[in-house]
Amino acid sequence: MKSRREFLSESFSSVTGFGVASALAALGGRIALGDHARAGHALLPTKDETTGLELIRLPEGFRYVSHGWTNDPMSDGTPTPAAHDGMGVVAENNGVVTLVRNHEISDDTDALPITNGTPFDRRAGGGCTTLTFDTRHGRWLDSRVAIAGTSRNCAGGVTPWGTWLTAEETVLGIDSVDPYQNDAARSFKRDHGWVFEVDPTGVRHPVPIKAMGRFVHEAVAIDRETGIVYETEDRGTAGFYRFIPNQNRKLADGGKLQIAQVVGHDDLRGHVEQGRQFDVRWHTIPEPTLANTPGLDQPDELGVFKQGKRLGCTTFARLEGCWSGNGMIYFDATSGGAAKAGQIWQYDPEAEKLTMLFESPGKQILNMPDNLCVNPHGGLALCEDGDYGDDEYPQRIHLLSQDGHLIPLAVNDVQLNGQKGFHGDFRGREWAGATFSPDGQWLFANIQTPGITLAITGPWQNLTDDA
């Protein structure tokens, strides 16, 4: 079995070895020929080995184990926080995998209690939890709070040195009113909108990495060759950023934040032809901590982005998932494209080139990809977070095979009538936090609401064979 360092350095960095670019090109070709690019296997209601409930649908032979439902007591005695979101594997030791999980809680409320630590903001309810899972015996072991007092921890990313970067998807702070809650006054004691580095053993005194910018963060990915950190922004008018640290692996020591300009293109939110390539320039943001544009009656959350716009940056549509591999950076625009169903981009840092790998032609094919990860068996795993309206399309996890098939892996089928303390139909709630174990046998993922973490395993080779 690969060690943590081998997994994080080799598996993640060999993404092009898994045929990502060629897989997306093949998928586009199939769709152009009228092939919806779906494998033919059925997804069956499958019982959770923890609760006995049929929570999701999976291919025949697959199984799963749930853990960390919202309000379940953790090993440190704290109830599991809600709103499970981004997640990553940060360590592995003799088959025991350590993960860090985000909780996208935006409420101003008492901070999570943390053993041997203090919260960043005593009136912020978000944070991260650390989980361990025994891959050899297929069982969850323990969980605990890793960082407290942050807000709206959405996504983030794993570092090559075994920590997690958690990113706040908000810029609310001291004396803020919340435009998403009818301008309700918030009681935060600190300003938010930062990236924090999280040691899985726990953060005693959280320190924001302010040089990485104060904006509506989503995901991050580190180029392992240069140490440069790439960042996405989840706004309808979004920028693609990079942070150049003063010292590699010492992000807290400062650096400069830059934003991308796609030469000759002010706005790439609409249709872009598959395979089209663009030159990229970078512009340094003068004031990376400026959350809102000065002089407005209402805060706009675009203080950093609009600085970039004045410098010539390019506008993207809701940039979310982001990861690195083999010298490339891959990211998705959740609502990009003519159908507003999502785009997947590739950036080559050495050549400073951006390539459109795939644009979804419709939500029935791929519905607004959000979190994503490399699939060790080839291609990608993609979590959907679409605007379903009447739930015409269920929330799904897809596997993209190397030959360009979108293989349905899992469908959210959570409907509860008092079980685990929840009532309601949660099938329209998003998948998040997809990440594989080092041996490739377990896929970990979250259903954000009601808040469940799942470990899924099965005959992976059968899926690619069927494609």
Side-chain angles (χ1 to χ4, degrees):
M1 179 180 293
K2 290 185 177 181
S3 69
R4 169 188 59 78
R5 185 168 299 279
E6 289 172 327
F7 174 57
L8 298 178
S9 297
E10 295 176 14
S11 292
F12 278 22
S13 67
S14 59
V15 62
T16 53
F18 294 122
V20 173
S22 60
L24 288 164
L27 174 60
R30 291 179 184 279
I31 291 170
L33 293 173
D35 179 358
H36 281 193
R38 295 218 169 276
H41 63 263
L43 297 183
L44 309 173
T46 306
K47 288 185 177 181
D48 170 28
E49 294 184 6
T50 300
T51 64
L53 300 172
E54 293 180 347
L55 303 173
I56 62 176
R57 286 181 273 151
L58 292 171
E60 184 176 4
F62 277 76
R63 60 189 182 90
Y64 65 102
V65 186
S66 77
H67 177 73
W69 290 63
T70 298
N71 294 325
D72 278 356
M74 295 190 292
S75 305
D76 60 6
T78 303
T80 300
H84 305 27
D85 208 299
M87 186 167 63
V89 172
V90 297
E92 186 274 342
N93 184 28
N94 294 323
V96 175
V97 170
T98 300
L99 306 99
V100 179
R101 177 182 61 197
N102 279 356
H103 294 273
E104 194 182 15
I105 298 170
S106 57
D107 296 340
D108 51 338
T109 185
D110 289 341
L112 297 168
I114 181 167
T115 303
N116 299 321
T118 57
F120 172 69
D121 180 346
R122 61 182 175 86
R123 289 295 299 163
C128 298
T129 51
T130 297
L131 319 171
T132 56
F133 182 81
D134 184 342
T135 62
R136 294 176 179 175
H137 298 95
R139 63 184 183 186
W140 292 98
L141 300 179
D142 61 25
S143 56
R144 58 195 177 276
V145 177
I147 188 173
T150 51
S151 184
R152 201 169 178 82
N153 301 68
C154 190
V158 172
T159 72
W161 50 93
T163 61
W164 171 256
L165 297 177
T166 186
E168 294 184 308
E169 193 186 14
T170 181
V171 295
L172 296 180
I174 299 170
D175 297 327
S176 288
V177 295
D178 190 342
Y180 303 103
Q181 297 293 330
N182 298 316
D183 288 337
R186 292 301 196 183
S187 60
F188 295 121
K189 303 302 180 184
R190 304 284 296 272
D191 288 333
H192 294 273
W194 312 113
V195 174
F196 295 81
E197 186 166 4
V198 182
D199 186 313
T201 63
V203 179
R204 292 178 59 85
H205 304 291
V207 177
I209 308 172
K210 292 188 176 183
M212 292 184 70
R214 187 181 176 204
F215 56 88
V216 180
H217 288 277
E218 182 70 25
V220 301
I222 298 178
D223 182 342
R224 285 159 175 78
E225 293 298 319
T226 64
I228 294 174
V229 185
Y230 292 84
E231 308 178 50
T232 56
E233 179 178 30
D234 188 3
R235 285 296 309 260
T237 53
F240 181 49
Y241 300 88
R242 72 179 183 184
F243 173 68
I244 304 175
N246 291 332
Q247 185 176 351
N248 194 2
R249 300 190 174 211
K250 301 289 185 180
L251 305 182
D253 288 352
K256 60 183 177 181
L257 181 69
Q258 297 184 323
I259 194 166
Q261 175 190 5
V262 179
V263 178
H265 297 274
D266 178 69
D267 193 325
L268 286 175
R269 289 176 292 180
H271 173 66
V272 179
E273 183 180 353
Q274 181 166 318
R276 190 169 179 186
Q277 194 171 82
F278 307 90
D279 293 321
V280 174
R281 295 176 186 155
W282 293 92
H283 301 283
T284 298
I285 299 294
E287 297 182 71
T289 62
L290 185 65
N292 297 292
T293 303
L296 300 179
D297 292 336
Q298 294 289 333
D300 63 355
E301 305 176 323
L302 294 171
V304 173
F305 174 78
K306 285 188 176 178
Q307 290 178 71
K309 206 64 189 173
R310 288 193 294 271
L311 295 169
C313 84
T314 298
T315 303
F316 293 90
R318 290 194 60 198
L319 297 186
E320 296 204 76
C322 185
W323 80 101
S324 64
N326 199 24
M328 301 291 175
I329 305 296
Y330 300 84
F331 60 95
D332 58 36
T334 295
S335 58
K340 298 184 179 180
Q343 299 164 319
I344 299 177
W345 295 90
Q346 172 188 281
Y347 174 65
D348 182 339
E350 184 175 358
E352 296 194 319
K353 299 284 188 182
L354 182 70
T355 304
M356 166 55 65
L357 293 183
F358 178 70
E359 179 177 307
S360 177
K363 295 183 178 182
Q364 73 277 16
I365 302 295
L366 178 64
N367 193 350
M368 306 181 76
D370 186 340
N371 289 178
L372 46 84
C373 72
V374 172
N375 175 8
H377 309 281
L380 299 173
L382 301 166
C383 296
E384 290 187 332
D385 179 18
D387 180 7
Y388 294 96
D390 59 358
D391 291 330
E392 180 180 358
Y393 310 118
Q395 296 274 23
R396 304 163 290 192
I397 295 179
H398 300 281
L399 299 182
L400 173 65
S401 70
Q402 287 181 300
D403 62 353
H405 284 96
L406 272 178
I407 304 168
L409 172 66
V411 169
N412 177 357
D413 209 20
V414 178
Q415 302 170 79
L416 300 172
N417 187 25
Q419 300 96 327
K420 302 292 289 187
F422 295 99
H423 294 265
D425 185 341
F426 302 96
R427 290 176 294 178
R429 299 296 185 148
E430 71 178 271
W431 288 95
T435 185
F436 275 90
S437 61
D439 62 6
Q441 294 308 302
W442 292 90
L443 173 66
F444 306 100
N446 298 318
I447 296 176
Q448 187 175 83
T449 306
I452 314 168
T453 297
L454 307 175
I456 302 169
T457 192
W460 299 102
Q461 189 59 43
N462 290 357
L463 298 181
T464 54
D465 288 346
D466 290 344

